[in-house]
Amino acid sequence: MTGIVVADYRDPSHQKALLDLLDDYARDPMGGGKGLSSRVRETLIPALTDQPGAFSILAFDGDEPVGLVNDHRLKAGGFELRLKAGHFA
């Protein structure tokens, strides 16, 4: 598959792509220089699934995952707040 898709947290191939891309980022100096711990790899997908408003976008080049965006939409008091990569957008 080539293109951009909303990740299905129940799809094992999307789970693997999300965790692998996030691990690649974590290993980079910008991401802290250390890969994801086994605990994070085991708990992140269930935590995202249980988080109202959480969604992820995956980009693929053929079958290879090449990009990831994690986003959260929150509604409070009639106002919608978008959190993207830890920043208000």
Side-chain angles (χ1 to χ4, degrees), residues 19-80:
L19 291 171
D20 288 350
L21 288 167
L22 197 54
D23 187 65
D24 286 346
Y25 172 76
R27 290 177 187 281
D28 187 270
M30 288 188 315
K34 289 175 55 177
L36 300 179
S37 70
S38 59
R39 181 168 166 31
V40 169
R41 290 186 76 89
E42 293 168 6
T43 61
L44 181 61
I45 300 296
L48 287 170
T49 301
D50 291 342
Q51 181 66 42
F55 66 98
S56 302
I57 307 293
L58 293 167
F60 289 90
D61 182 8
D63 290 332
E64 182 179 354
V66 294
L68 169 66
V69 174
N70 289 310
D71 205 345
H72 302 275
R73 290 186 184 269
L74 305 173
K75 287 189 176 183
F79 294 96
E80 184 173 319

